[in-house]
Amino acid sequence: MHEPINYKSINLEQLRDQSTNHHSKIPFQHQIEAFEALSKTFKFGSEKPGSGILVLPTGAGKTFTATRWLSDHVIPKNIKILWLAPSFYLLEQAFATFDKSAKDIPEPKKTLNIRCVSSSPSHAEASSIKLTDDIVIMTIQTAINNLHTDAIDKSGKRFETAFRKFIDSCKKTGLFVVVDEAHHSPAYGCKNLLIGEKDSALGLRGLLPGLHLLGLTATPTHNDKARRGWLLKIFEHGIIYEAKKDILILQKVLAKPKYIEVSTHIKVEVDDEVYDKLVKQHQDLPEKIIEILAKDNGRNNFIVDTYVSNKKTYGKTIIFADRWFQCVYIKNKLIEKGIKVDAIYSHIDANPGSAEARNQRTQNDNQRIMEEFRDGKLDVLINVRMLTEGVDVPNVQTVFITRQTTSSILMT
């Protein structure tokens, strides 16, 4: 059964006593350089608050780097932390990393209260946020929904949400905001949450002018010029440190990827406009074509056979599919061939009683399956758009991207 990850209060004094022989994880050189850049950008006291982006390629330890630095420089000063991420997995990863780093928090800090908040039943509800929380880790959407609300109590008065009360209380303590997958920040809702535009709906920066804002991403560039501009308005110091993937591969911090293109020999006719978008503008396949490919069971059988005939070489594998029904089909075919496999995908809108509704996946199912894959109980994990960002799964040897993509960001 998946343990709920919602709240933890850690007695740091007790933890330090129990961990006398504990040796902290030794950071890599790029992480030490990142710590130095963070310390230069984020100064506490009377100086102007810091606001910048830390760029580390996938696999280079963004979460560890940020949590270790925060544990050394922010938590001991009793400055509150708000960690925002777009997905449940990223919340849990941050929660687990803070929990693991707690023994490295220097004295005199005595306790650490961490709360994980989202719409998932295994996380805390936004209404449970307390002013005594030191770290609130929550989805961006939940934060947007709870910062400004016109909720009315029984006596007809407007009331503040627990999250808004927490933010207001940070006027005394100070607040350090971390945005994971920060390249999504220019999206309208997130941008308004962070920097707001209107007096009636001030963003976090308007409510707390002294707040520090750190963005974490592997992909700091955006194809859209306007979004690139907004990134610099949100994170005013721009990129404060960037570790280059090629150098980390040379240093053997990251594995060198080996790209193998396998043709399924399935041809789909496209008109000139679609061809132009794909070839000249490097846009992704239109949904209509994705649907055709996902339904093609000859093609899906080819994917299954490709894995089965090379399973010793491929080892632990993640397969990126495009539709939930494609996940189910490939999974069942692999099970028939004796492969330990499961699939994760998001909610399906469907009529009750239909095949789609029966195949709905709850968030708890997905979390349980993810842990089974991490723990080595599964050889293959199939997913639809759920593992494209920041999920840490050690020991994966092979990734199948089951359709053509011209997006270098998605491919990376």
Side-chain angles (χ1 to χ4, degrees):
M1 183 63 192
H2 181 79
E3 279 291 306
I5 295 180
N6 45 35
Y7 177 75
K8 190 163 186 179
S9 185
I10 302 168
N11 181 329
L12 295 175
E13 291 179 306
Q14 204 177 333
L15 192 62
R16 288 183 197 115
D17 289 344
Q18 292 165 355
S19 312
T20 44
N21 297 323
H22 159 73
H23 296 291
S24 300
K25 183 177 167 182
I26 296 167
F28 290 108
Q29 182 58 34
H30 71 276
Q31 292 170 329
I32 293 167
E33 289 167 11
F35 297 154
E36 288 167 3
L38 288 164
S39 294
K40 270 186 199 155
T41 306
F42 298 99
K43 306 238 171 85
F44 303 99
S46 57
E47 300 198 41
K48 190 177 184 295
S51 170
I53 301 172
L54 182 61
V55 180
L56 296 181
T58 305
K62 288 196 304 290
T63 310
F64 166 78
T65 305
T67 51
R68 172 63 74 86
W69 183 83
L70 291 165
S71 297
D72 282 345
H73 299 278
V74 176
I75 295 169
K77 293 181 174 66
N78 290 314
I79 294 167
K80 304 277 183 175
I81 294 168
L82 172 64
W83 185 290
L84 299 167
S87 74
F88 299 139
Y89 297 115
L90 293 173
L91 299 189
E92 294 184 2
Q93 198 167 296
F95 190 98
T97 312
F98 273 116
D99 189 7
K100 225 181 271 177
S101 305
K103 50 176 81 73
D104 294 312
I105 295 169
E107 295 182 36
K109 185 79 177 159
K110 290 186 169 65
T111 54
L112 185 73
N113 300 324
I114 316 172
R115 193 177 302 273
C116 183
V117 178
S118 81
S119 59
S120 166
S122 53
H123 298 158
E125 292 181 356
S127 57
S128 71
I129 294 172
K130 301 267 188 298
L131 303 188
T132 49
D133 292 345
D134 296 295
I135 303 169
V136 175
I137 300 169
M138 72 196 300
T139 53
I140 291 165
Q141 197 52 53
T142 305
I144 291 167
N145 294 346
N146 282 272
L147 185 63
H148 301 295
T149 178
D150 294 321
I152 305 288
D153 67 14
K154 285 174 187 167
S155 60
K157 290 179 186 160
R158 278 193 72 225
F159 71 87
E160 279 195 325
T161 61
F163 177 54
R164 180 60 184 271
K165 283 178 184 164
F166 172 79
I167 295 299
D168 288 344
S169 76
C170 292
K171 284 173 184 159
K172 288 182 187 150
T173 60
L175 180 66
F176 198 107
V177 179
V178 179
V179 186
D180 203 354
E181 302 301 340
H183 52 283
H184 293 312
S185 304
Y188 182 73
C190 186
K191 178 181 75 186
N192 279 355
L193 169 72
L194 297 172
I195 60 174
E197 288 176 313
K198 305 179 288 290
D199 295 337
S200 59
L202 289 167
L204 293 171
R205 189 178 279 158
L207 295 168
L208 298 169
L211 104 103
H212 297 273
L213 185 55
L214 171 64
L216 305 176
T217 183
T219 51
T221 53
H222 209 290
N223 299 339
D224 181 337
K225 225 181 201 169
R227 288 200 171 194
R228 275 205 304 273
W230 273 112
L231 266 178
L232 286 174
K233 283 198 178 84
I234 297 165
F235 302 100
E236 293 161 323
H237 291 108
I239 293 171
I240 58 170
Y241 178 77
E242 180 170 7
K244 297 292 184 192
K245 191 172 67 172
D246 309 358
I247 292 165
L248 297 186
I249 289 171
L250 279 175
Q251 292 171 347
K252 295 196 167 21
V253 173
L254 296 179
K256 186 174 183 179
K258 183 177 173 186
Y259 298 105
I260 303 167
E261 198 167 336
V262 180
S263 174
T264 57
H265 305 294
I266 305 292
K267 289 185 167 59
V268 179
E269 294 290 325
V270 297
D271 60 29
D272 290 347
E273 188 191 351
V274 171
Y275 181 81
D276 185 66
K277 281 181 178 170
L278 293 174
V279 177
K280 294 182 184 164
Q281 296 174 40
H282 295 292
Q283 290 185 14
D284 217 341
L285 289 174
E287 290 296 316
K288 195 170 69 179
I289 294 176
I290 292 171
E291 190 86 10
I292 293 166
L293 294 174
K295 282 180 174 165
D296 189 320
N297 284 338
R299 187 175 184 278
N300 291 331
N301 290 337
F302 180 85
I303 292 163
V304 169
D305 293 340
T306 302
Y307 174 79
V308 172
S309 56
N310 296 282
K311 66 179 183 190
K312 276 193 178 150
T313 310
Y314 292 153
K316 195 167 181 174
T317 296
I318 293 176
I319 297 177
F320 285 93
D322 289 299
R323 295 289 187 268
W324 72 269
F325 51 80
Q326 187 187 19
C327 265
V328 173
Y329 182 88
I330 292 174
K331 175 186 137 178
N332 290 338
K333 287 291 172 190
L334 285 169
I335 288 170
E336 283 172 21
K337 302 203 181 248
I339 305 296
K340 290 183 286 183
V341 56
D342 215 326
I344 61 173
Y345 40 84
S346 57
H347 175 81
I348 303 155
D349 295 316
N351 296 324
S354 66
E356 286 94 333
R358 285 195 298 279
N359 279 294
Q360 266 190 26
R361 266 290 145 76
T362 68
Q363 200 51 45
N364 275 358
D365 289 334
N366 285 337
Q367 286 163 339
R368 173 183 54 76
I369 291 162
M370 189 73 199
E371 287 194 357
E372 287 175 1
F373 185 60
R374 275 202 184 103
D375 295 345
K377 293 172 189 167
L378 301 172
D379 296 322
V380 177
L381 182 66
I382 312 166
N383 81 103
V384 179
R385 296 179 194 173
M386 292 193 74
L387 301 179
T388 51
E389 290 180 336
V391 173
D392 186 14
V393 191
N395 308 325
V396 169
Q397 275 179 250
T398 307
V399 173
F400 277 36
I401 298 174
T402 63
R403 67 175 156 95
Q404 200 81 21
T405 178
T406 54
S407 163
S408 59
I409 288 173
L410 181 63
M411 183 62 115
T412 306

